[in-house]
Amino acid sequence: MSVAIEVQNLRCEFRVNAGWFAAEKRVIAVDDVTFSVPAGSVLGIVGESGCGKSTLARLILGLLKPTAGTVLVDGKRLFDLDRKARARLIQPVFQDPFASLNPRHRIKDIVALPLTAQGTFSRAEIERRVAQILERVGLSAAMGERMPSQLSGGQRQRAAIARALVLEPRIVICDEPTSALDVSVQAQILNLLADLRRDLGLTYLFISHNLAVVEHVASEVAVMYLGRFVERNETDALFRAPGHPYTQALLQSVLTPEPGRGVPDIGLGDAMPDPANIPPGCRFNPRCGIAVERCRRVAPTPMVRAPQGMVECHLA
Amino acid sequence: MSALLDIEDLEVMFGGRSAAVRGASLQVEKGETHCLVGESGCGKSVTALSIMNLLARGGRRAAKRMSFAGTDLLSLSDREMARLRGNRISMIFQEPMTSLNPAFTIGSQMAEVLTRHKGGSRTAALERAVELMGRVGITAPEMRLGQFPHQLSGGLRQRVMIAMALMCDPELLVADEPTTALDVTVQAQILRLLATLKRELGLAILLITHDLGIVARVADRVSVMYAGEVVERAPTAELFRSPQHPYTRGLLSCVPVPGRVQRDRPLGSIPGVVPAIGPGFAGCAFRSRCSHADASCEREIPRRQAGSAHDYLCRLAPEFSEPQPA
Ligand SMILES: Nc1ncnc2c1ncn2[C@@H]1O[C@H](COP(=O)(O)OP(=O)(O)OP(=O)(O)O)[C@@H](O)[C@H]1O
Ligand SMILES: Nc1ncnc2c1ncn2[C@@H]1O[C@H](COP(=O)(O)OP(=O)(O)O)[C@@H](O)[C@H]1O
Ligand code: SF4
Ligand code: SF4
Ligand SMILES: [Mg+2]
Ligand SMILES: [Mg+2]
């Protein structure tokens, strides 16, 4: 099977001012991440706010330059490609469909933008393609005439998906595409994304903090913590037998709609992870309920985990 | 005996073009956790704000009855309501920064709540603040007293909000989406905390959420809201076992359940969105999205009984078929 996305030793640091007299802080948002995504599959990425998911998405989209490491998309080095070639290969769908659509343009012009930016499509071709993709995502031609503010959240997300697909890319990076939506609308959008993937043979990188959603859409799942993948495996294996204590806590905190089961004690303290201050040893150790002395000194290295995965924990 | 909070036929209008709440009835018993659930825009927050008399300018409320512990809330003056608020009824919001003042320390804001309502010394109030912060799982509470809101993480700020809401030992806590902005791990910690407080302090909680997972895990009873009406009310286990309103059924089918999801099988979904309801509207507001709708749904809809504490607003007769395995 061919590889759609290949990421090698990717690292991204930000330097932030902590105040007038404080020293400049180094935020390590993505810390030496390596993985690949086979064509036609869906890699789900889960993790808490600030763990680096969106930064990783922006690095893979070429919107952000890495501090170190490489990204290959469809076998080509991302930074060898110009913007137009990149746009034909890989497209984003972001969380907030309102912020990501220009409020002063009609929906059909917003959807046409990637085509016009290429500069190689005729007016007639653009109109044909826009009409086709709007219909495919379930928006009527009349919706195409409206402004973003005149659409519901779900309709706006459909428009954002149409814009991402109008150039017929191979890969779509979905960063929390349904987090701002109600469950009813979320279900509509997830079903649409699944249909499109099947019919068009797309590859998705699917970022979400909702584990139930990720389990539903992803063939493989990576768990991110303070900039690193701490566990990765086939979806069923990861959900059935999570190896990392953090993955276990995440799974326990999913509140399934089963009455009478109460809210579990997930056993994490209130120490919150801070990417400007990554603890020595295992980065999870201040919150880990089973940490041993070695965890505070030595960082765990990736260990193979059946059938296809890895985990970074001394005790897994 | 009447309920601690008893609302009948609440109407809320903004301007007069559309009604945000249209005849909602809601009862919260002493010591229970009651969840108000529904899609965004259904009127959950407006209902909560009407209870507190904190509606935005231009919002007008009316009801057949709106009483708290036997007191008629509608006839209270602003001053009398202000004496109740933060004292016997407390509210926490989705975004803690809307109710924390960025210019004052955590300690002074917490102490002020107690001295305003109950008097007493500032030192005693600070002691109580420290005690409550410890109780809601904040480490090093003494240190937090001198910190400003922006110096705390989102989860800590929400804990501070809860501790502050408890300063005067309220009988009712109204919590509007208190964990929606938080990570799942922090959400689980906060909800567990609320469950403990309810058990140990006998606190009644009106918890507003759009998340059916939360409802299932924490609620004693549930009210399902749609387009400004409460369309179904039931004890939690019964609602999940035999939901009656097509809207409730639709909502339940949309939720992916971990461990039971079937990839490649579409999720259930409800077509369309919550409509805006103008004045003079009659019949069932769900009919534009309901697969059972017919002409009779345009007439007045009866409230039907599906159990001793279970009713719903739909023309269809109750059905107790086994729910489909998800
Ligand atoms: N341009 C930037 N300058 C400085 N710091 C940044 C910048 N962009 C991101 N960060 C920091 O990098 C870390 C990772 O951020 P990122 O947005 O990738 O998180 P995330 O996992 O997507 O979180 P969320 O779930 O909240 O979307 C955070 O600490 C964030 O504050
Ligand atoms: N200040 C306001 N002015 C006008 N309309 C409002 C105002 N606040 C809420 N509404 C309207 O009332 C309805 C219910 O809103 P809300 O209670 O916030 O919904 P929920 O909390 O269930 O998401 C919506 O149609 C909303 O647009
Ligand atoms: S390496 Fe140690 S601290 Fe890290 S997750 Fe494993 S047991 Fe916990
Ligand atoms: S009253 Fe009619 S439209 Fe409304 S929920 Fe029942 S069947 Fe559907
Ligand atoms: Mg993000
Ligand atoms: Mg609300």
Side-chain angles (χ1 to χ4, degrees):
Chain A
M1 215 194 298
S2 71
V3 173
I5 304 172
E6 173 127 32
V7 165
Q8 290 159 351
N9 303 105
L10 198 61
R11 187 179 168 84
C12 181
E13 277 182 30
F14 298 105
R15 288 174 184 279
V16 287
N17 273 326
W20 281 0
F21 301 106
E24 192 181 61
K25 278 205 279 189
R26 255 178 51 198
V27 172
I28 303 175
V30 172
D31 192 359
D32 197 10
V33 168
T34 299
F35 66 94
S36 63
V37 187
S41 70
V42 181
L43 175 65
I45 299 183
V46 295
E48 284 166 291
S49 184
C51 72
K53 307 181 294 295
S54 298
T55 304
L56 182 63
R58 286 156 65 208
L59 290 167
I60 294 173
L61 284 161
L63 301 174
L64 198 65
K65 228 177 155 47
T67 313
T70 50
V71 179
L72 303 173
V73 177
D74 211 19
K76 301 177 235 349
R77 287 168 60 100
L78 194 65
F79 283 93
D80 292 346
L81 300 171
D82 66 12
R83 270 175 76 148
K84 290 183 194 171
R86 235 161 40 209
R88 288 193 301 269
L89 213 52
I90 186 165
Q91 284 282 336
V93 175
F94 292 116
Q95 166 170 1
D96 185 347
F98 200 62
S100 66
L101 304 179
N102 187 326
R104 284 183 301 276
H105 290 172
R106 284 178 307 179
I107 293 297
K108 69 174 193 184
D109 298 329
I110 293 173
V111 172
L113 203 65
L115 292 170
T116 36
Q118 291 287 322
T120 52
F121 294 93
S122 69
R123 282 268 293 276
E125 176 69 3
I126 291 177
E127 276 190 23
R128 195 183 61 78
R129 287 219 195 184
V130 169
Q132 201 178 13
I133 196 70
L134 282 178
E135 190 191 337
R136 187 64 194 80
V137 302
L139 290 176
S140 63
M143 293 284 179
E145 303 294 331
R146 295 198 191 169
M147 310 301 265
S149 61
Q150 296 169 307
L151 300 189
S152 71
Q155 289 165 339
R156 284 199 287 262
Q157 202 53 295
R158 285 177 196 269
I161 292 170
R163 180 182 58 182
L165 294 182
V166 74
L167 271 175
E168 299 173 3
R170 309 306 314 141
I171 302 162
V172 181
I173 309 288
C174 307
D175 189 357
E176 310 254 12
T178 63
S179 302
L181 307 174
D182 273 312
V183 279
S184 54
V185 183
Q186 164 173 288
Q188 296 168 10
I189 297 294
L190 292 178
N191 290 342
L192 172 66
L193 285 170
D195 288 348
L196 290 168
R197 190 184 67 79
R198 208 184 36 241
D199 298 349
L200 308 176
L202 300 170
T203 304
Y204 290 157
L205 193 76
F206 192 101
I207 295 174
S208 177
H209 63 265
N210 185 326
L211 272 81
V213 165
V214 166
E215 186 188 17
H216 185 73
V217 302
S219 33
E220 216 189 334
V221 177
V223 178
M224 204 164 175
Y225 190 80
L226 276 179
R228 275 187 82 80
F229 282 6
V230 294
E231 183 162 13
R232 179 166 51 78
N233 215 335
E234 285 178 359
T235 307
D236 294 329
L238 187 114
F239 277 77
R240 199 173 350 99
H244 198 282
Y246 178 63
T247 312
Q248 290 162 6
L250 275 184
L251 285 178
Q252 271 177 23
S253 44
V254 178
L255 302 176
T256 54
E258 298 168 287
R261 302 194 51 177
V263 183
D265 180 3
I266 53 164
L268 299 180
D270 70 358
M272 287 320 280
D274 174 7
N277 198 358
I278 295 179
C282 171
R283 60 196 60 217
F284 185 59
N285 87 71
R287 297 172 81 195
C288 182
I290 59 168
V292 293
E293 195 269 334
R294 184 155 61 112
C295 303
R296 281 176 268 281
R297 285 185 295 110
V298 187
T301 49
M303 296 201 313
V304 175
R305 199 165 165 86
Q308 284 271 31
M310 68 89 179
V311 61
E312 280 191 354
C313 167
H314 292 309
L315 305 184
Chain B
M1 225 193 72
S2 74
L4 177 67
L5 178 70
D6 188 358
I7 302 177
E8 204 182 311
D9 271 343
L10 175 67
E11 309 262 348
V12 181
M13 300 284 289
F14 288 99
R17 280 168 296 110
S18 71
V21 178
R22 308 179 303 123
S25 297
L26 182 73
Q27 278 82 32
V28 181
E29 303 289 342
K30 197 165 178 296
E32 82 167 341
T33 300
H34 193 111
C35 276
L36 185 60
V37 67
E39 287 166 282
S40 73
C42 278
K44 307 181 298 293
S45 297
V46 169
T47 301
L49 292 170
S50 339
I51 298 168
M52 308 303 288
N53 198 12
L54 288 175
L55 283 173
R57 199 182 295 267
R60 280 176 298 107
R61 58 175 193 179
K64 267 207 198 110
R65 183 167 57 246
M66 191 161 171
S67 70
F68 168 73
T71 309
D72 176 18
L73 292 180
L74 294 173
S75 65
L76 291 186
S77 68
D78 286 353
R79 271 190 59 189
E80 287 166 327
M81 190 61 213
R83 272 208 295 273
L84 221 57
R85 215 186 288 130
N87 185 7
R88 294 179 63 197
I89 314 180
S90 286
M91 180 158 176
I92 51 182
F93 298 88
Q94 173 169 346
E95 176 42 64
M97 283 315 269
T98 53
S99 29
L100 287 172
N101 188 330
F104 292 92
T105 60
I106 300 297
S108 69
Q109 295 187 56
M110 289 188 72
E112 198 270 342
V113 176
L114 190 67
T115 49
R116 170 158 41 98
H117 288 296
K118 307 263 152 121
S121 74
R122 189 178 146 86
T123 321
L126 286 173
E127 267 168 33
R128 173 140 178 94
V130 168
E131 179 208 319
L132 282 171
M133 282 196 272
R135 207 178 161 109
V136 301
I138 296 175
T139 49
E142 285 88 355
M143 178 183 94
R144 310 292 179 194
L145 288 179
Q147 287 186 316
F148 290 91
H150 68 87
Q151 293 174 301
L152 306 179
S153 71
L156 274 176
R157 281 203 288 260
Q158 202 55 289
R159 281 175 208 248
V160 166
M161 280 302 306
I162 295 174
M164 196 149 113
L166 296 175
M167 284 298 277
C168 299
D169 261 327
E171 291 145 77
L172 175 66
L173 180 65
V174 178
D176 188 2
E177 311 253 9
T179 61
T180 304
L182 303 175
D183 277 312
V184 286
T185 53
V186 184
Q187 163 170 294
Q189 291 172 313
I190 299 281
L191 291 173
R192 204 176 150 79
L193 165 67
L194 286 178
T196 311
L197 293 172
K198 171 210 159 195
R199 203 172 49 242
E200 291 175 1
L201 307 178
L203 186 66
I205 303 175
L206 176 61
L207 181 68
I208 295 175
T209 177
H210 62 265
D211 185 334
L212 288 155
I214 294 179
V215 174
R217 299 307 191 95
V218 306
D220 298 307
R221 289 193 308 140
V222 188
S223 294
V224 180
M225 199 158 187
Y226 186 76
E229 284 172 315
V230 171
V231 296
E232 184 157 8
R233 304 185 284 195
T236 308
E238 199 172 321
L239 187 91
F240 283 81
R241 197 176 346 104
S242 65
Q244 297 298 335
H245 197 285
Y247 177 61
T248 314
R249 295 184 175 196
L251 273 186
L252 285 169
S253 75
C254 293
V255 187
V257 180
R260 279 203 245 137
V261 299
Q262 282 147 313
R263 233 157 292 132
D264 310 326
R265 271 256 312 271
L267 291 164
S269 65
I270 309 175
V273 292
V274 184
I277 305 286
F281 183 90
C284 176
F286 189 56
R287 66 177 184 257
S288 56
R289 304 171 76 186
C290 179
S291 58
H292 303 281
D294 69 11
S296 66
C297 303
E298 289 162 31
R299 294 195 286 271
E300 182 151 0
I301 306 296
R303 192 171 277 283
R304 288 177 180 275
Q305 213 67 30
S308 59
H310 183 177
D311 61 18
Y312 64 103
L313 209 56
C314 170
R315 69 174 181 86
L316 299 172
E319 224 182 282
F320 300 99
S321 60
E322 278 303 302
Q324 335 241 306

